[in-house]
């Protein structure tokens, strides 16, 4: 169990990048990472007694559950990650407008494939915008939960979303 925790924690560190060593996540690398995470998950599931653990939703997700969710989030197709990014941006950045939810970007254009730009400013999602408003925080968490990413904190999700190209 200690080995599972240690490896899971290292994989989680790769996914959420707390040291800021990975400024961009590209789809091919994300898909390979998801494959590797799935291999470790199968290995640990085969070696341990994970039965019944998922039935109890009161237990906070451990590092393996969080890294599985993170690897899934980072490996979403570009249109799917953009939809989530736009929905969260619409919640947090009033000037983003609802048009972005329907693919109408107005004067926004892509910077590479990673971030959107409004005017001259790159629009990265900032977790403080959500922490400053309880209702926004609840809406963002509910949206991520509905998409299957409840194991991740909002901060972890935004770290991945902001770096995903």
């Amino acid at each position: 169990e200690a080995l599972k925790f240690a490896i899971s924690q290292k994989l989680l560190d790769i996914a959420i990048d707390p040291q800021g060593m990975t400024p961009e996540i590209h789809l091919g690398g994300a898909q390979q990472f998801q494959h590797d995470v799935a291999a470790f998950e199968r290995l640990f599931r085969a070696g341990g007694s994970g039965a019944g653990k998922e039935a109890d939703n009161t237990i906070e997700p451990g590092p393996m559950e969080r890294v599985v969710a993170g690897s899934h989030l980072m490996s979403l197709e570009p249109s799917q990650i953009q939809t989530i990014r736009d929905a969260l941006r619409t919640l947090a950045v009033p000037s983003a407008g609802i048009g972005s939810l329907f693919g109408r970007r107005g004067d926004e254009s892509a910077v590479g494939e990673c971030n959107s730009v409004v005017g001259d400013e790159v629009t990265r999602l900032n977790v403080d915008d959500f922490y400053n408003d309880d209702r926004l925080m609840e809406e963002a968490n509910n949206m991520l939960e509905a998409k299957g990413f409840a194991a991740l904190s909002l901060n972890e999700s935004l770290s991945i979303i902001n770096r995903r190209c």
Side-chain angles (χ1 to χ4, degrees):
E1 196 64 26
L3 181 61
K4 174 186 175 184
F5 182 85
I7 290 174
S8 300
Q9 189 61 51
K10 291 297 181 188
L11 290 170
L12 184 61
D13 285 347
I14 292 168
I16 62 174
D17 192 37
Q19 294 85 22
M21 301 296 289
T22 310
E24 295 179 351
I25 301 170
H26 293 273
L27 182 58
Q31 290 171 332
Q32 181 61 53
F33 182 71
Q34 184 181 30
H35 175 77
D36 296 344
V37 166
F40 277 108
E41 182 186 31
R42 282 190 305 274
L43 175 71
F44 292 134
R45 199 175 332 125
S49 60
K53 211 174 191 183
E54 294 175 22
D56 187 1
N57 290 333
T58 60
I59 297 175
E60 190 167 317
M64 181 53 76
E65 293 79 15
R66 290 166 54 211
V67 77
V68 167
S71 69
H72 178 66
L73 176 61
M74 70 173 56
S75 64
L76 289 176
E77 290 299 319
S79 62
Q80 294 172 306
I81 198 86
Q82 189 62 45
T83 299
I84 293 172
R85 184 182 291 131
D86 287 346
L88 289 169
R89 184 177 295 119
T90 299
L91 280 175
V93 183
S95 64
I98 197 156
S100 63
L101 288 175
F102 301 101
R104 296 187 299 269
R105 299 211 185 311
D107 62 350
E108 289 184 30
S109 59
V111 174
E113 293 178 15
C114 293
N115 296 301
S116 295
V117 72
V118 178
D120 293 330
E121 184 179 326
V122 173
T123 55
R124 293 180 57 83
L125 294 164
N126 186 342
V127 74
D128 291 337
D129 294 334
F130 295 96
Y131 281 116
N132 292 333
D133 186 327
D134 290 339
R135 195 176 111 236
L136 285 180
M137 177 71 115
E138 183 180 344
E139 289 294 325
N141 282 323
N142 288 341
M143 181 181 3
L144 291 169
E145 182 178 343
K147 295 286 186 184
F149 305 113
L152 295 170
S153 70
L154 179 61
N155 193 31
E156 292 167 340
S157 296
L158 293 181
S159 170
I160 292 168
I161 291 167
N162 280 331
R163 293 179 298 120
R164 175 52 208 283
C165 294

